[in-house]
Amino acid sequence: MKLLRVGPPGRERPCVMGPDGRTLDLSALTADIDGAFLARGGVERVRSALAEGALPEAGPYERIGAPVARPGKIICIGLNYSDHAEETGAAIPAEPVVFMKAPNTVVGPEDEVLVPRGSVKTDYEVELAVVLGGTARYLSSPAEAAGVIAGYAIANDVSEREFQNERGGQWDKGKSCETFNPLGPWLVTPDEVGDPQALGLRLWVNGRLRQNGGTKNQIFGVHHVIWYLSQFMVLEPGDVVNTGTPAGVALGIGPEAYLRAGDVVEVEIDGLGRQRQRMGQA
């Protein structure tokens, strides 16, 4: 099942993609697709409504928003692909590298992404995002993580490398600039995704393929990451976990590969759809 939100920023309508490809309106079932909806059996209510065939068509819309509203937090895993660690000159981590990203970085999959003022090293990162559907607190094993995952989405973990690596302190300030987390187009439920460690990820800049990897090459798999994070913080419904990026980022290529206003970034993951962002200037 593919859940999505359509409409202008701040006024998105909750929807689901029907089996025939039509976008169906969920406004009669829920005000939004958010943590409360996911925690209170919202996915199963939508599944039942789809089976009954009673959902109305959403009608025309010009924009797709992020598929989950107002995540409480965005937790990110750094250096989680061996080829990406190698291209950045970093050692393979013994444990997941964890950092946070401001929740208000989330924008829709085709919204404009802004190069920050003074930036010369704005970078891209295709990532598999995990959306929590239940509370994860001291999970006993990675196997238990499957029960708290609502679904998966595409994230572009946009990063400013000078702010991140050359300005001291935490990575967060190179990760939390406005518009730095395009998410979507869909939240796809686990039954439709299948094995999260068997997904291809790709990213293009101005039509040229930059990243072409697979989640099979993650150092720490999705279920391990959710279990691991639950030992240090409580994950709640609606939270988003970005699980790392494969090789091919601008940091590993050189100065000419960083993003500038006017560049077009396209991102896709098997079964999760496709994003397209035009870069603007803050």
Side-chain angles (χ1 to χ4, degrees):
M1 190 163 60
K2 297 180 176 73
L3 299 168
L4 66 160
R5 300 166 64 248
V6 304
R11 291 184 287 143
E12 293 92 346
R13 290 175 289 152
C15 295
V16 64
M17 190 74 70
D20 57 0
R22 292 184 303 146
T23 301
L24 306 177
D25 198 314
L26 297 176
S27 299
L29 293 180
T30 182
D32 213 338
I33 298 170
D34 54 13
F37 165 83
L38 296 171
R40 298 170 186 167
V43 171
E44 291 311 312
R45 292 200 305 274
V46 173
R47 205 181 297 278
S48 297
L50 272 175
E52 293 169 5
L55 292 172
E57 194 161 356
Y61 55 87
E62 294 184 356
R63 173 182 177 271
I64 298 178
V68 61
R70 300 177 296 277
K73 53 186 174 290
I74 302 173
I75 310 101
C76 303
I77 307 300
L79 304 173
N80 198 28
Y81 288 72
S82 55
D83 55 355
H84 176 54
E86 181 180 353
E87 74 174 346
T88 62
I92 299 297
E95 297 188 36
V97 175
V98 179
F99 61 92
M100 308 291 284
K101 195 160 190 166
N104 65 0
T105 58
V106 171
V107 294
E110 298 193 355
D111 289 348
E112 183 181 51
V113 172
L114 299 176
V115 175
R117 296 178 186 180
S119 168
V120 295
K121 294 184 178 180
T122 295
D123 208 344
Y124 49 83
E125 294 188 5
V126 55
E127 304 209 8
L128 175 66
V130 182
V131 178
L132 275 291
T135 299
R137 176 180 178 271
Y138 294 114
L139 297 181
S140 61
S141 69
E144 195 177 352
V148 298
I149 294 174
Y152 301 93
I154 301 172
N156 183 358
D157 177 19
V158 186
S159 309
E160 213 298 336
R161 301 302 190 184
E162 182 184 10
F163 299 174
Q164 176 187 351
N165 297 323
E166 301 172 34
R167 299 286 296 273
Q170 300 292 321
W171 283 9
D172 300 25
K173 64 175 174 278
K175 297 284 189 171
S176 291
C177 305
E178 59 183 335
T179 72
F180 264 28
N181 205 102
L183 190 67
W186 310 314
L187 170 59
V188 185
T189 51
D191 58 298
E192 188 165 329
V193 172
D195 183 358
Q197 305 307 144
L199 303 176
L201 309 87
R202 292 162 291 277
L203 182 144
W204 295 260
V205 177
N206 299 328
R208 298 187 65 178
L209 184 65
R210 291 277 185 89
Q211 293 185 273
N212 186 12
T215 55
K216 66 180 180 181
N217 294 321
Q218 287 184 338
I219 298 167
F220 304 102
V222 167
H223 293 164
H224 182 97
V225 163
I226 301 302
W227 163 79
Y228 180 87
L229 291 173
S230 78
Q231 311 306 306
F232 301 97
M233 66 185 79
V234 177
L235 305 180
E236 299 177 326
D239 285 351
V240 174
V241 178
N242 290 343
T243 60
T245 197
V249 298
L251 178 63
I253 297 173
E256 73 282 358
Y258 287 112
L259 299 171
R260 302 287 184 266
D263 286 344
V264 174
V265 180
E266 296 171 277
V267 192
E268 71 177 18
I269 298 178
D270 294 345
L272 302 184
R274 190 176 177 99
Q275 299 184 352
R276 183 181 187 275
Q277 298 109 32
R278 181 175 292 276
M279 305 299 295
Q281 183 65 55

